[in-house]
């Protein structure tokens, strides 16, 4: 089973938060392999609680009911199970309606017992500390998970792995019987400017699981009533707030203060940082005035957003978020982690 490098932006972090907060027993369902086309790719996960509630999806509704029906049996047995769903046929399937999705989906279901629960909590801690984590699962002939390990650094791993740990993890990525996947921390979006057009962008970004920070020097705008879903609000001028932000190459920044002098200041200060994305709201001729003849940094973008003919704050927010997600996906595809010792 080959390694997949995509991230489940929406579900993974919500699953880990729910595991941390809930007192219910639960089962973690993960797609470990896909043949052909499918709604979700390998690495997508769904958490099903014993009361039937769910977080995340593995399909467009084709698999969830069947998987949820298996949860009581898996919780009672206390062991993992694997299932294969053949979605290539247009015939009626045993778990529901005609699908014809065109793919074969391999799913493992693991009871979140005490040991796995602690390891998932450690995974959350790593991701919260902006550390990428690779998961390796050994898939048995019956498609159950016989061993698993999380690798956070070259010599740091945790999990339930019997026997000697593999020395070259990258070889496992192309080996049959293994599932290897990388989990990434939430990307952070920093929005500078808390005007009305920043509100839908912040809300949409938070809904797609960006960690969102909004900064503005005007407390009447930069307050929780307008930005209920963001992780942080920073009130102050750029020279005050940027000192409080330790940025990384996993960060994205959008400048939309609509104040010419503040935009210039933010461009100058943020261009000195290694960000995945730095964009300035406004037309090209305004950007030229902002730069005042200085060369633009390679990661500086203006105008920003996918060209969809957006009008108004909501549509503009959609176009910007689409560009952020596109940039995020491309960055992830370009980066690989080599944990080989």
């Amino acid at each position: 089973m080959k390694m997949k490098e995509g991230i489940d932006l929406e579900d993974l972090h919500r699953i880990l938060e729910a595991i941390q907060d809930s007192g219910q027993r639960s089962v973690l369902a993960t797609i470990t392999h896909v043949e052909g086309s499918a709604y979700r790719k390998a690495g997508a996960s769904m958490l099903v609680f014993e009361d039937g509630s769910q977080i995340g999806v593995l399909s467009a509704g084709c698999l969830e009911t069947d998987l949820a029906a298996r949860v009581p049996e898996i919780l009672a047995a206390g062991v993992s199970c694997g299932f294969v769903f053949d979605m290539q046929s247009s015939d009626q399937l045993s778990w529901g309606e005609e699908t014809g999705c065109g793919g074969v989906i391999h799913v493992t279901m693991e009871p979140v017992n005490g040991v796995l629960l602690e390891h998932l909590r450690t995974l959350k801690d790593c991701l919260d500390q902006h550390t990428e984590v690779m998961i390796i699962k050994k898939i048995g002939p019956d498609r159950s998970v016989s061993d698993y390990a999380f690798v956070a650094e070259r010599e740091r791993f945790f999990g339930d792995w019997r026997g000697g740990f593999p020395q070259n993890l990258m070889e496992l990525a192309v080996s049959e019987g293994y599932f290897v996947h990388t989990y990434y921390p939430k990307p952070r979006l920093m929005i500078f400017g808390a005007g009305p057009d920043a509100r839908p962008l912040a809300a949409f970004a938070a809904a797609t699981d960006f960690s969102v920070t909004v900064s503005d020097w005007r407390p009447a705008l930069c307050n929780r009533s307008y930005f209920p879903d963001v992780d942080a609000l920073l009130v102050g001028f750029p020279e005050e707030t940027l000192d409080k932000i330790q940025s990384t190459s996993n960060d994205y920044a959008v400048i939309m203060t609509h104040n010419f002098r503040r935009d210039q200041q933010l461009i100058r200060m943020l261009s000195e940082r290694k960000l995945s994305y730095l964009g300035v709201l406004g037309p090209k001729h305004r950007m030229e005035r902002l730069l005042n003849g200085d060369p633009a940094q390679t990661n500086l973008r203006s105008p920003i957003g996918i060209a969809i003919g957006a009008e108004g704050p909501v549509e503009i927010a959609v176009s910007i978020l689409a560009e952020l997600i596109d940039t995020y996906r491309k960055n992830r595809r370009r980066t690989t982690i080599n944990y080989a010792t």
Side-chain angles (χ1 to χ4, degrees):
M1 297 184 178
K2 297 183 178 180
M3 177 173 65
K4 302 292 183 180
E5 295 220 0
I7 182 178
D8 182 349
L9 263 180
E10 298 177 21
D11 295 336
L12 172 65
H13 295 277
R14 294 175 188 173
I15 285 171
L16 295 176
E17 289 168 2
I19 287 174
Q20 184 129 313
D21 298 336
S22 175
Q24 288 194 68
R25 295 189 301 167
S26 59
V27 171
L28 181 67
T30 304
I31 296 178
T32 57
H33 185 58
V34 172
E35 302 166 29
S37 62
Y39 184 72
R40 304 299 301 275
K41 297 180 180 180
S45 295
M46 177 178 76
L47 188 70
V48 186
F49 291 103
E50 58 184 330
D51 68 358
S53 59
Q54 303 171 14
I55 296 177
V57 295
L58 297 187
S59 71
C62 308
L63 306 182
E64 282 71 13
T65 300
D66 181 73
L67 292 173
R70 301 177 189 268
V71 166
E73 180 182 349
I74 292 173
L75 288 174
V79 294
S80 66
C81 295
F83 306 96
V84 177
F85 298 91
D86 187 348
M87 318 295 281
Q88 298 179 94
S89 172
S90 61
D91 296 334
Q92 280 216 335
L93 302 172
S94 60
W95 60 87
E97 304 297 331
E98 294 182 1
T99 59
C101 296
V104 178
I105 304 171
H106 298 242
V107 178
T108 63
M109 299 186 72
E110 301 166 86
V112 183
N113 54 31
V115 175
L116 179 57
L117 178 61
E118 286 306 311
H119 293 151
L120 291 174
R121 285 172 173 165
T122 303
L123 169 63
K124 183 179 186 304
D125 290 341
C126 291
L127 296 176
D128 288 346
Q129 295 165 16
H130 304 288
T131 301
E132 299 174 8
V133 181
M134 182 180 285
I135 174 70
I136 304 100
K137 294 182 180 182
K138 185 185 293 185
I139 309 298
D142 62 352
R143 302 187 184 93
S144 65
V145 178
S146 60
D147 302 273
Y148 69 87
F150 296 94
V151 183
E153 297 168 339
R154 181 180 293 270
E155 297 181 358
R156 179 190 174 194
F157 62 90
F158 52 96
D160 186 8
W161 193 281
R162 292 163 290 185
F165 195 73
Q167 293 300 303
N168 192 338
L169 301 183
M170 303 313 291
E171 290 182 2
L172 298 186
V174 294
S175 301
E176 290 299 322
Y178 290 91
F179 168 69
V180 184
H181 184 78
T182 300
Y183 293 126
Y184 297 97
K186 282 186 179 183
R188 178 171 59 173
L189 171 62
M190 299 177 290
I191 302 174
F192 294 91
D197 53 352
R199 298 167 195 170
L201 177 59
F204 296 162
T208 51
D209 232 26
F210 279 84
S211 174
V212 182
T213 295
V214 176
S215 176
D216 198 294
W217 65 93
R218 298 161 289 193
L221 296 177
C222 192
N223 65 72
R224 186 61 65 177
S225 63
Y226 293 130
F227 300 97
D229 301 319
V230 305
D231 293 291
L233 290 169
L234 299 177
V235 179
F237 294 107
E239 65 272 18
E240 299 170 327
T241 57
L242 279 174
D243 285 342
K244 302 175 183 178
I245 301 174
Q246 298 297 318
S247 59
T248 71
S249 59
N250 196 43
D251 289 338
Y252 298 69
V254 172
I255 299 172
M256 49 193 313
T257 72
H258 301 285
N259 181 290
F260 192 85
R261 186 164 67 88
R262 296 300 176 196
D263 282 1
Q264 277 189 320
Q265 185 181 13
L266 285 162
I267 290 171
R268 184 181 71 252
M269 299 176 73
L270 289 169
S271 293
E272 297 172 354
R273 305 194 178 197
K274 293 183 179 180
L275 304 172
S276 284
Y277 178 100
L278 174 58
V280 183
L281 185 68
K284 183 177 179 180
H285 64 82
R286 184 176 187 271
M287 187 68 214
E288 293 171 348
R289 290 179 54 223
L290 287 168
L291 292 174
N292 194 27
D294 293 333
Q297 297 294 319
T298 56
N299 67 336
L300 182 61
R301 307 187 189 202
S302 184
I304 53 176
I306 301 292
I308 60 173
E311 296 182 3
V314 173
E315 291 184 5
I316 290 172
V318 170
S319 72
I320 295 172
L321 183 60
E323 185 174 62
L324 293 173
I325 293 174
D326 180 61
T327 303
Y328 180 86
R329 300 292 185 192
K330 289 176 179 176
N331 287 344
R332 289 276 72 88
R333 285 195 291 269
R334 283 195 295 264
T335 59
T336 59
I337 306 175
N338 189 350
Y339 291 96
T341 57

